[in-house]
Amino acid sequence: MHRRKFLQLAASAAAAGPLLSACGSSSGSSSGSDGPVTLTVSTWSMSTTPEFKALFDAFQKLYPNITIKPVDILAADYSTKVKVMLSGGDSTDIITMKNTTDYGQFAERGQLRDISSLASSGTAPSLQGLSSFKMNDKYYALPYRQDFWALFYNKKLFDAAGKPYPTNMTWDEYATLAESLTTGSGGSKVYGTYHHTWRSVVQAISAAQTGGDLIGGKYEFFTDQYDIALGIQNAGAALDYGTATTQKTGYQAMIETGKTAMLPMGTWLIGTLWADKKSGTTDIDWSMAPMPQRSGASGVTTFGSPTAFSINKKAKNVDAAEKFIDFATGPQGAAIVAGIGIVPALLNDDTRKVYFGLDGMPTDAGFQTAFKPDKVVLEMPVNDKSSQIDTILTAEHTLVMTKQKSIAAGIAEMDSRVQTEVE
């Protein structure tokens, strides 16, 4: 049923091909003929990032004269490699923006092409996260997916512990619940929760829920969240940061193998869990709840980040690149992305119907409630200094979480380094 619906949408996309072609290019640049074109697109870890292949295959069916050649990079190396590529004059046509941290720097340096005309046409103005890419009244990237953070959980582990499934919790309630769900020891230990090693697990949610400024150079607002994270770790209810880093623990493996009952993570995990359960890789019975909130907060506030496509200033195939971005961020691309369990940036009734209608997607009311947070704050503000600040905050986060520095000392160092080294 749902597969059929997806195919219907794909067929609609094919029918819309001539219309898309008629949209044309605002650039009047190269590759506008019907001759064969090889369009290069930077990607990360293609084998575990299914939307790339799905979008590329569908696009090439619409435009048989355009062949997409991925420039695939390991996910962990992506940011560094793309910086080197752009600085060195690489001409890869489309640069995928994995997050907004590097975007401001690339745009400010003139390494991306102005695609404001695409941002104002068709359904683009209604894209979730579009405003994140507005710089000096221009757009240099358009989002095709919009992820935000929620609390994933393993239903079987909750059932075994006789606990009700999580709904709206404060951070204190979350910490208590994590301790109560922790069982076993040694290799058979099951943790109440797992906090991945990224700094955003503590810092971005703290900024989102306190209104703190990640660019401002004053980080006292991190204090409460570090208290929560370290308190859970000290209680043995979460794998300690040092072990997770040393062993390169994967968050996906932690929840899919039943090693943790809860996992705060981005909604990109939905598509992974959905696909892995469908293929038989895991038998986890999972769902999702809203992120825990600060005591006394009203509504649900979380953080998130769009993923976008941009055009390299040195691209050789601008017309083809614009066609691809128009396709990937429009209704056809959104339906394809939703059809593999990924949250599209164009989130409307049609794409929601595809997404929630997927066979195997959780159907409980809690899942759909978690899917509609009241406020999603950008994970990292777009700024030409975001990348430098991210490096500083990441380094100090590691020192705090491994207890090489106290929370106060770590925050003081963040303040000092950001103010003196960046401002």
Side-chain angles (χ1 to χ4, degrees):
M1 164 64 185
H2 306 305
R3 171 73 175 165
R4 181 181 175 187
K5 176 66 178 175
F6 173 61
L7 292 173
Q8 288 173 343
L9 286 166
S12 298
L19 177 60
L20 288 170
S21 299
C23 291
S25 164
S26 61
S27 65
S29 300
S30 57
S31 330
S33 70
D34 294 330
V37 174
T38 298
L39 183 69
T40 49
V41 183
S42 69
T43 63
W44 58 88
S45 304
M46 281 276 291
S47 61
T48 56
T49 316
E51 76 261 28
F52 289 131
K53 185 177 188 308
L55 287 171
F56 296 170
D57 288 350
F59 180 74
Q60 289 173 130
K61 286 181 181 176
L62 288 176
Y63 297 97
N65 66 314
I66 301 176
T67 299
I68 293 181
K69 181 181 179 182
V71 179
D72 199 30
I73 301 167
L74 282 175
D77 299 335
Y78 188 78
S79 176
T80 301
K81 185 72 180 291
V82 170
K83 287 176 186 174
V84 172
M85 287 166 58
L86 292 178
S87 296
D90 183 274
S91 60
T92 297
D93 296 305
I94 292 180
I95 303 296
T96 309
M97 291 294 145
K98 192 176 181 183
N99 51 52
T100 56
T101 303
D102 296 325
Y103 168 74
Q105 189 177 67
F106 296 153
E108 193 69 29
R109 290 177 176 175
Q111 293 171 321
L112 305 177
R113 193 176 186 85
D114 176 9
I115 55 173
S116 300
S117 59
L118 289 178
S120 61
S121 64
T123 55
S126 61
L127 291 172
Q128 304 281 321
L130 177 65
S131 61
S132 305
F133 297 98
K134 188 175 184 179
M135 286 192 68
N136 302 321
D137 293 326
K138 293 181 179 178
Y139 294 89
Y140 300 91
L142 261 64
Y144 69 95
R145 59 182 290 179
Q146 169 69 42
D147 289 293
F148 59 87
W149 280 57
L151 182 67
F152 292 80
Y153 62 92
N154 183 322
K155 288 184 172 181
K156 290 179 182 175
L157 293 179
F158 272 78
D159 291 342
K163 300 286 184 183
Y165 300 143
T167 52
N168 295 313
M169 291 187 291
T170 65
W171 284 105
D172 287 339
E173 290 169 339
Y174 164 76
T176 300
L177 181 60
E179 288 188 42
S180 71
L181 289 164
T182 301
T183 60
S185 61
S188 61
K189 184 169 184 175
V190 175
Y191 294 93
T193 191
Y194 174 71
H195 293 162
H196 200 49
T197 55
W198 299 326
R199 69 168 183 80
S200 288
V201 173
V202 174
Q203 296 178 358
I205 192 65
S206 176
Q209 295 184 349
T210 65
D213 180 5
L214 288 168
I215 301 295
K218 294 285 186 182
Y219 300 106
E220 188 178 0
F221 62 86
F222 287 160
T223 302
D224 290 348
Q225 207 63 40
Y226 273 118
D227 279 335
I228 291 289
L230 286 170
I232 292 172
Q233 179 175 294
N234 292 342
L239 183 66
D240 73 88
Y241 184 94
T243 301
T245 302
T246 304
Q247 297 182 348
K248 297 184 177 179
T249 302
Y251 60 84
Q252 176 186 337
M254 285 294 289
I255 194 162
E256 287 194 348
T257 60
K259 293 295 291 181
T260 183
M262 297 186 287
L263 171 67
M265 188 50 60
T267 49
W268 58 80
L269 184 60
I270 296 173
T272 302
L273 293 176
W274 173 77
D276 285 354
K277 188 165 184 179
K278 199 173 184 63
S279 68
T281 304
T282 178
D283 63 352
I284 183 176
D285 187 7
W286 65 278
S287 190
M288 195 173 83
M291 284 290 280
Q293 302 293 305
R294 292 172 66 84
S295 180
S298 60
V300 173
T301 299
T302 186
F303 70 95
S305 185
T307 308
F309 291 118
S310 62
I311 301 178
N312 187 348
K313 194 66 174 288
K314 296 185 181 299
K316 295 179 179 177
N317 302 293
V318 175
D319 290 347
E322 289 191 348
K323 284 185 173 70
F324 175 77
I325 292 177
D326 189 44
F327 164 81
T329 62
Q332 297 80 19
I336 290 167
V337 169
I340 55 175
I342 291 171
V343 184
L346 185 61
L347 198 57
N348 54 28
D349 289 345
D350 289 337
T351 51
R352 282 194 181 91
K353 193 176 297 181
V354 174
Y355 192 83
F356 289 115
L358 290 172
D359 186 23
M361 192 66 77
T363 57
D364 58 276
F367 177 74
Q368 298 210 18
T369 299
F371 206 80
K372 295 178 180 178
D374 297 293
K375 185 178 181 182
V376 179
V377 178
L378 189 61
E379 181 174 6
M380 187 67 176
V382 174
N383 186 286
D384 62 340
K385 297 170 183 171
S386 295
S387 183
Q388 294 164 270
I389 294 173
D390 176 67
T391 300
I392 293 170
L393 296 183
T394 296
E396 296 302 325
H397 173 71
T398 297
L399 295 174
V400 171
M401 291 303 297
T402 53
K403 303 178 189 176
Q404 296 180 66
K405 283 185 181 176
S406 67
I407 296 172
I411 288 175
E413 191 68 13
M414 293 176 202
D415 290 355
S416 173
R417 290 184 63 188
V418 170
Q419 290 174 27
T420 60
E421 296 183 25
V422 177
E423 286 185 347

